[in-house]
Amino acid sequence: EETRLVLAMQEALVDNPGGEPVALPELREIAAQMPAVGRALLALHRRNIEATQRLEALALQLGDGRADADCLPSLQPLRTMTFELVRDFFFAHQNYFNDVDIAAEALAAQAQAQGVALAQWLIERLAQQHGVRAIPVPDAEHDGPGSNHRNYDPSTRVLRFSATLAPGPLVFQLATQLALLEHSALLDALIDTMPLGQDPQARTLARIGLANYFAGAVLLPYGAFLAAAEALHYDIDLLSRRFGVGFETVCHRLSSLQRPGAPGLPFFFIRIDRAGNISKRQSATHFHFSKTGGTCPLWNVYEAFSQPGKILPQIARMPDGRSYLWIARTVSNGQGGYGAPSKTFSVALGCDIRHAHRLVYARALNLDDPDIATPIGMGCKICERTTCPQRAFPFVGRPLDVRENESRFVPYPAQSGV
């Protein structure tokens, strides 16, 4: 937590143009001796970003003629930072919620004892315990903005789900709905501990996240899944086949195995698109994902797009000297017909180098060779490396070193050979 606080403060101070740079030892002193001050600084930073986003949205609407003075009072504040607050809540719990995980594992054990398919057992439980009818419908009924694989109508107590869902995703959708109905009090108790007040959007988002966590734990029960992961040396493809789920689902679950007394490896998990947008990030350890500094093009999470479907291992070293083993692979989901765009992401799973020998992906790597690690950073603006060949922006922590023969940061550099 202390390491993450230091990195978060370092990132927040990137947006301090003209201010005096704050040295890393000073940030470490704040995190160790005055953590409340550090958290207050991050809260002010979030508030500043949200205010800036409101101003930008207002300027955009006034500038293109789609808004006038009469409608200004109706403009709602942007809530993009809500997602970050909820993610911080998950980070604070190391992406593990013991009561939710145990309840999900008990539910999966009940289904297994009945000897029926898990999806069918969940459908029957929804009907018998909650009076909910689960009805499969064609995908066409889910088309349109905001569509998904599950739609619940509380007035009629009818749950509609996509008829084309495979068994694994179907169990996930059914278990998510069951969590929202059967374990509402448990989810509310956890949400009440979040430092978000009564923000309805934050509470709703957190509820969905916890319900999804419950569903993942039903689909991949803690004890059985951890035992299989250890026996298979965390081979994701083999785990996917054994439990009938996708590559991304296995990675996501591996990042949450932190039960007291029976922990798995502390992984961090990320999902990113070709444009560098991070749509998922989970961490069971100190690793900090950048929110404003971008990411590093030397990271294998980007190389995966050039080799679709292939698992790429990488030993990466951060500017603070810490090294990690990363594996990355693309995942695609094409729901439409011919000509329809598909969703393609790069999914990466990482752990500290000291755990790398327990993973099958480290067998072909010389973990003792210090030169094998690729030097990466959390983004050019907050990365202190001065000799990086991929640097796109200068590091904001020191003055820009402008030389007559250096043109990387000039808006219109001379062409090679001219």
Side-chain angles (χ1 to χ4, degrees), residues 120-193:
Q120 183 59 39
W121 188 87
L122 289 171
I123 290 175
E124 293 174 358
R125 187 177 184 93
L126 284 168
Q128 295 171 4
Q129 300 290 330
H130 305 283
V132 173
R133 289 188 302 128
I135 303 174
V137 297
D139 281 344
E141 297 188 23
H142 292 271
D143 291 342
S147 63
N148 51 49
H149 296 299
R150 173 176 50 85
N151 190 302
Y152 177 63
D153 186 349
S155 62
T156 61
R157 305 193 75 79
V158 172
L159 173 66
R160 294 177 173 83
F161 61 88
S162 171
T164 61
L165 285 175
L170 175 57
V171 168
F172 185 87
Q173 297 297 337
L174 295 171
T176 296
Q177 190 60 55
L178 187 66
L180 294 170
L181 295 171
E182 192 162 309
H183 296 283
S184 179
L186 175 58
L187 303 186
D188 285 340
L190 286 169
I191 294 171
D192 287 341
T193 66

Side-chain angles (χ1 to χ4, degrees), residues 13-14 20-23 380-384 394-400:
L13 292 172
V14 168
E20 180 181 356
V22 181
C380 292
K381 293 182 179 180
I382 56 175
C383 180
E384 301 177 20
F395 172 50
V396 298
R398 63 167 57 94
L400 176 60

Side-chain angles (χ1 to χ4, degrees), residues 9 12 16 27 79 91 115 133 142 147 149 157 204 215 232-233 236 253 281 301 322 324 329 341 356 390 405-406 417:
M9 287 191 294
N16 183 28
L27 297 178
R79 295 293 182 180
F91 281 145
R133 289 188 302 128
H142 292 271
S147 63
H149 296 299
R157 305 193 75 79
T204 299
L232 298 174
H233 301 286
I236 299 175
R253 184 55 169 153
R281 57 174 179 256
V301 69
R322 296 176 184 265
Y324 305 91
R329 203 202 82 171
Q390 287 286 161
N405 62 348
E406 179 59 77

Side-chain angles (χ1 to χ4, degrees), residues 62-101:
L62 289 176
D64 64 7
R66 289 182 298 176
D68 53 38
D70 294 335
C71 75
L72 294 184
S74 66
L75 293 176
Q76 297 296 318
L78 298 180
R79 295 293 182 180
T80 56
M81 295 309 296
T82 298
F83 289 89
E84 300 298 338
L85 293 173
V86 175
R87 282 170 175 163
D88 288 346
F89 168 69
F90 276 77
F91 281 145
H93 286 265
Q94 292 186 296
N95 199 30
Y96 176 77
F97 298 89
N98 193 60
D99 292 341
V100 178
D101 214 300

